[in-house]
Amino acid sequence: MNFLDKFRDPELCRRLLDLIHKESKGVRFMEVCGTHTVSIFQSGIHTLLPDNVVHLTGPGCPVCVTHDREVAAYLELAARPGVTIATFGDLMKVPGPKGRNLKTAQADGADVRVVYSPFDSLELARKLPDRQVVFLGIGFETTAPAVAATLKAAREQKLANFKVLPFHKLVPPALRGLLSDPEMRIEGFILPGHVSAVIGLDPYKFLGDDCGLPAAITGFEPLDLLQALLFLVRQKNTGGHEVVNQYRRVVADAGNPKAMQVMYEVFEPADALWRGIGTIPGSGLAIREEYAEHDAFRALDLTLPEVPPLPGCRCGEVLKGKMRPDQCPLFKKACTPATPVGPCMVSTEGSCAAYFKYQLDA
Amino acid sequence: MNDAKVLLDYGSGGRASHRLIGELLLSHFRSPELARLNDAAVLDLRGPVAVSTDSFTVDPIFFPGGDIGSLAVHGTVNDVAMLGARPLYLTCALILEEGLPMADLERIVASLGQAADAAGVAVVTGDTKVMPRGQADKIFINTTGIGQIMVETPPSGDRARPGDAILVSGSMGDHGLTILSQREGLAFDAPVESDSACLSHLILKLLEALPDIHVLRDPTRGGLATTLNEIAGQSRAGCLIEESSLPVKQAVKAGCSFLGLDPLYLANEGKFICILPEAQADAALSILRADPLGKDAARIGTVTAENPGKVVMRTPLGGHRMLSMLEGEQLPRIC
């Protein structure tokens, strides 16, 4: 028995499932983390829940929420001579206007490198002094502090040819944005583990205080998820609206103040575009003035191009949990992992890709 | 050979080529047929034969547990063996990049020769080309294997029948994770090594005792999940896999968890899937487990009439999910 297997213990999981079956009077919950999405499908939990526990998949994958205008912007940059794009792998296939993506840009001659950490892209800038190395800053609060640290290092080391295109998104403002939609009928949240390890519990308190909703930060193993679900079921039954941290082995209630400090030293909150949702106030991060020479927007004179909406794409409704992936008319027809129309199908952590990959009768 | 690097001259067909063949290749590929240096090899074959070809472009060319030379033998020999054939002959074409250190080439050729000897195959014909620097990546190897079919009805991907047992000969994902962990830019050390191995002896032992094996397949690129989907499609049957019985090494699990990969989609180079009538499953497992290459063999599932063309996995919690085919490359995730 090892640490990984303990949180997958089938016997303990079954006991929790029994309790959920016994006690649930119905609850609609949303998870907002792609890793939770995948874990729920991979473990088969979604096939074992009672019918009255309704699982909605929210905008939890940073790739999925990257707006078409943001994709168009980095594709435009990739096509410029002298520019090298450094990116995390999952962005390679995200479709932009006319189905173009970084892979097609690469085939057209763009220099695109997949990196595993933003610091690798700094190394790339050192190796390629004659090129502008642009790191695509995509991700939630989990990724942003590492990118901020990279920007600090770039400034200290005077690597002027290193740039970041800041498309980071923040989770709590997005939850607020989602809940402002009167059509959303969410009765509880499963909150992301990794993001919370950085921001802690406080930024979610408004869910309980202002919106009257229960929520639980939890981990990614079946036991974590089932424990959080049982909590939501019980809160719903008693009309509770507690926001709790059930992932104490990783997440401190105060988060990681050092990471937050680095993040806000380099970035400042800004409005951001979310695919399918639109602009959410204060849900993004812009690069501060002191770091302007490393900001791809300012230093390379880039603006977000206007783009026509993707025809027929219902990713927005899927991301808001208003539509199940398999209810989208494009699902499995025009939109498959090989030919993704919208970003929910692109990333392995996207809700449509998870449905396509794991759902038996989808 | 004094030159430290491969030069374009070595692919010229002239003296330099002859030196390379005479001094290096013939000393490691000791087949009389090759030594005749004719334009083609003469083979002595009767009855049905199995032929398979594969090109090897692995990066890095040396990795824990093997190298591109031994891999070029194992990959092709195993494909031939999966048809119930005894591999006998191998062809070998080398495409070299100008500037490849001669020491690397010699190490690879020696490893290829040793692997061929161990597999009992003779390298009977070959070719060497040199590409200008930058137009090939160090070394590419193509091998074609030829083998004599040893059973009346060869195993085939379309012969899985409802009720058949599905076995694997060992742990999944070792080779794929090893290669990924060695790639430049991926700074992590995984205590794993490639499972690259010749399977033909074990396959023949198995077929001798149990000639009615329905399907043999080695889950190389695309891994177990993709190969099972191919079999389900070809046989128009379903596969029901028990997740808890899948052999995956702890180090592979941990590495995959770190990178956001699924070991069931990672390549294997020394494992095979065996599908056979339920009544023979225990006998097959004992034969496999008695051999070092099959010591971790396990029964992982059953062929079903339900869900034709699909692979369904029963999770340890008792839930069900699809195990679908890999779409393109697996890319490390972002968070």
Side-chain angles (χ1 to χ4, degrees):
Chain A
M1 186 63 88
N2 66 69
F3 198 63
L4 267 183
D5 291 335
K6 271 189 184 154
F7 290 94
R8 295 177 184 169
D9 183 347
E11 193 39 50
L12 286 175
C13 286
R14 232 163 307 197
R15 270 192 247 165
L16 283 171
L17 269 166
D18 285 347
L19 288 173
I20 291 172
H21 273 264
K22 218 178 284 168
E23 296 183 26
S24 174
K25 297 184 186 131
V27 61
R28 284 167 64 88
F29 78 95
M30 177 181 266
E31 36 75 15
V32 287
C33 167
T35 313
H36 279 151
T37 314
V38 170
S39 182
I40 287 171
F41 279 96
Q42 244 180 10
S43 60
I45 284 180
H46 65 296
T47 63
L48 298 169
L49 291 173
D51 290 342
N52 64 12
V53 175
V54 179
H55 165 210
L56 304 168
T57 293
C61 154
V63 168
C64 301
V65 296
T66 303
H67 199 273
D68 344 4
R69 293 180 65 193
E70 296 176 326
V71 178
Y74 65 64
L75 288 178
E76 186 201 312
L77 214 49
R80 291 192 193 173
V83 168
T84 291
I85 298 286
T87 177
F88 290 130
D90 10 12
L91 222 49
M92 291 298 289
K93 287 193 291 185
V94 175
K98 296 188 185 139
R100 294 186 32 88
N101 59 30
L102 283 170
K103 284 211 160 185
T104 61
Q106 207 171 24
D108 289 340
D111 185 15
V112 182
R113 316 279 181 102
V114 172
V115 293
Y116 298 91
S117 125
F119 277 96
D120 292 346
S121 57
L122 201 61
E123 196 47 46
L124 206 55
R126 205 188 321 276
K127 277 193 205 155
L128 305 170
D130 301 331
R131 300 186 64 86
Q132 295 293 334
V133 174
V134 181
F135 177 75
L136 304 183
I138 306 250
F140 294 136
E141 291 91 335
T142 335
T143 333
V147 177
T150 312
L151 277 168
K152 282 186 72 170
R155 195 167 78 147
E156 278 157 23
Q157 296 165 25
K158 300 194 167 47
L159 279 171
N161 67 325
F162 176 76
K163 309 277 188 287
V164 167
L165 193 55
F167 289 148
H168 292 287
K169 311 261 189 290
L170 303 174
V171 170
L175 297 184
R176 207 182 265 280
L178 276 179
L179 290 168
S180 68
D181 183 335
E183 283 178 56
M184 297 295 301
R185 289 185 298 121
I186 299 167
E187 296 166 329
F189 278 104
I190 287 192
L191 298 171
H194 297 145
V195 166
S196 306
V198 174
I199 67 175
L201 191 60
D202 271 357
Y204 302 113
K205 283 277 165 69
F206 75 93
L207 290 172
D209 298 345
D210 305 349
C211 310
L213 291 176
I217 296 170
T218 198
F220 303 98
E221 300 302 333
L223 268 183
D224 293 320
L225 286 160
L226 289 170
Q227 195 193 4
L229 279 175
L230 182 61
F231 167 78
L232 293 181
V233 163
R234 287 180 172 168
Q235 286 282 306
K236 174 76 197 310
N237 288 350
T238 57
H241 48 84
E242 265 186 82
V243 178
V244 296
N245 177 9
Q246 286 193 336
Y247 197 31
R248 286 232 157 79
R249 67 182 188 276
V250 171
V251 177
D253 284 355
N256 181 340
K258 219 170 170 181
M260 292 285 278
Q261 191 203 324
V262 173
M263 185 167 104
Y264 283 114
E265 205 180 310
V266 175
F267 295 115
E268 58 193 346
D271 296 351
L273 272 173
W274 292 61
R275 165 98 60 159
I277 296 174
T279 301
I280 301 180
S283 68
L285 292 171
I287 294 176
R288 287 186 189 273
E289 187 57 39
E290 301 96 281
Y291 291 87
E293 74 165 322
H294 297 291
D295 180 353
F297 279 120
R298 281 178 272 194
L300 300 177
D301 195 19
L302 183 75
T303 49
L304 283 184
E306 288 299 332
V307 298
L310 290 172
C313 181
R314 310 281 283 272
C315 274
E317 284 158 80
V318 172
L319 287 176
K320 284 183 180 172
K322 287 185 186 175
M323 180 186 265
R324 260 197 349 250
D326 58 340
Q327 292 167 336
C328 170
L330 300 186
F331 182 75
K332 253 190 175 177
K333 296 184 182 86
C335 188
T336 70
T339 54
V341 175
C344 300
M345 190 58 98
V346 178
S347 164
T348 50
E349 298 195 341
S351 46
C352 293
Y355 246 81
F356 187 96
K357 199 171 160 195
Y358 298 120
Q359 183 78 5
L360 214 70
D361 44 15
Chain B
M1 203 152 298
N2 297 324
D3 304 289
K5 299 273 167 90
V6 167
L7 305 178
L8 280 173
D9 294 349
Y10 292 154
S12 65
R15 275 177 198 283
S17 294
H18 281 89
R19 270 206 308 277
L20 182 79
I21 293 166
E23 291 171 24
L24 179 64
L25 300 179
L26 287 183
S27 72
H28 291 288
F29 305 159
R30 286 176 296 268
S31 117
E33 195 49 45
L34 184 68
R36 281 189 194 103
L37 294 176
N38 283 328
D39 283 355
V42 178
L43 308 181
D44 189 12
L45 289 162
R46 261 158 254 146
V49 294
V51 183
S52 182
T53 193
D54 206 340
S55 297
F56 298 84
T57 60
V58 65
D59 172 35
I61 55 179
F62 302 104
F63 45 83
D67 57 64
I68 192 170
S70 53
L71 188 65
V73 174
H74 298 152
T76 297
V77 162
N78 291 348
D79 281 347
V80 170
M82 295 306 144
L83 271 287
R86 182 189 300 282
L88 296 170
Y89 303 111
L90 204 65
T91 74
C92 171
L94 304 173
I95 295 173
L96 311 176
E97 183 186 13
E98 177 189 15
L100 175 75
M102 281 307 291
D104 285 357
L105 178 61
E106 173 137 26
R107 202 174 138 196
I108 290 164
V109 167
S111 162
L112 201 154
Q114 272 167 21
D117 288 348
V121 292
V123 178
V124 288
T125 186
D127 178 55
T128 308
K129 294 281 180 335
V130 181
M131 299 295 288
R133 191 181 263 275
Q135 293 187 23
D137 186 12
K138 297 183 275 292
I139 178 169
F140 299 149
I141 304 178
N142 171 275
T143 53
T144 298
I146 300 167
Q148 192 99 48
I149 293 199
M150 306 302 285
V151 283
E152 210 160 296
T153 319
S156 171
D158 58 6
R159 291 186 57 211
R161 295 287 170 268
D164 282 0
I166 306 173
L167 318 180
V168 291
S169 67
S171 59
M172 292 290 116
D174 301 10
H175 177 76
L177 190 73
T178 305
I179 296 301
L180 272 174
S181 71
Q182 297 294 313
R183 288 258 164 96
E184 196 189 354
L186 194 59
F188 89 104
D189 269 323
V192 283
E193 59 176 46
S194 167
D195 55 358
S196 179
C198 167
L199 296 167
S200 58
H201 304 300
L202 179 54
I203 296 272
L204 290 174
K205 207 167 17 167
L206 201 57
L207 280 169
E208 215 163 277
L210 305 163
D212 190 29
I213 289 177
H214 291 167
V215 184
L216 287 172
R217 267 289 165 82
D218 55 342
T220 51
R221 266 187 313 179
L224 179 71
T226 302
T227 311
L228 284 175
N229 272 283
E230 286 166 4
I231 295 168
Q234 280 176 278
S235 296
R236 297 192 178 85
C239 294
L240 179 64
I241 303 299
E242 290 292 337
E243 189 173 356
S244 51
S245 59
L246 286 168
V248 180
K249 285 185 179 142
Q250 205 50 244
V252 173
K253 270 188 204 167
C256 282
S257 156
F258 174 66
L259 292 171
L261 302 176
D262 186 336
L264 304 185
Y265 293 92
L266 290 177
N268 306 280
E269 291 292 350
K271 304 288 161 50
F272 60 92
I273 301 168
C274 171
I275 299 180
L276 78 178
E278 162 72 37
Q280 298 173 20
D282 288 340
L285 275 178
S286 337
I287 295 169
L288 287 171
R289 286 175 182 159
D291 190 288
L293 289 176
K295 65 177 172 20
D296 298 323
R299 176 173 179 173
I300 60 163
T302 308
V303 178
T304 60
E306 300 87 66
N307 303 309
K310 288 182 178 171
V311 182
V312 176
M313 182 120 101
R314 222 169 79 92
T315 70
L317 305 191
H320 290 82
R321 67 167 163 104
M322 283 242 295
L323 194 58
S324 47
M325 201 179 268
L326 181 62
E327 179 60 62
E329 307 168 67
Q330 286 202 101
L331 295 167
R333 65 168 177 214
I334 142 172
C335 75

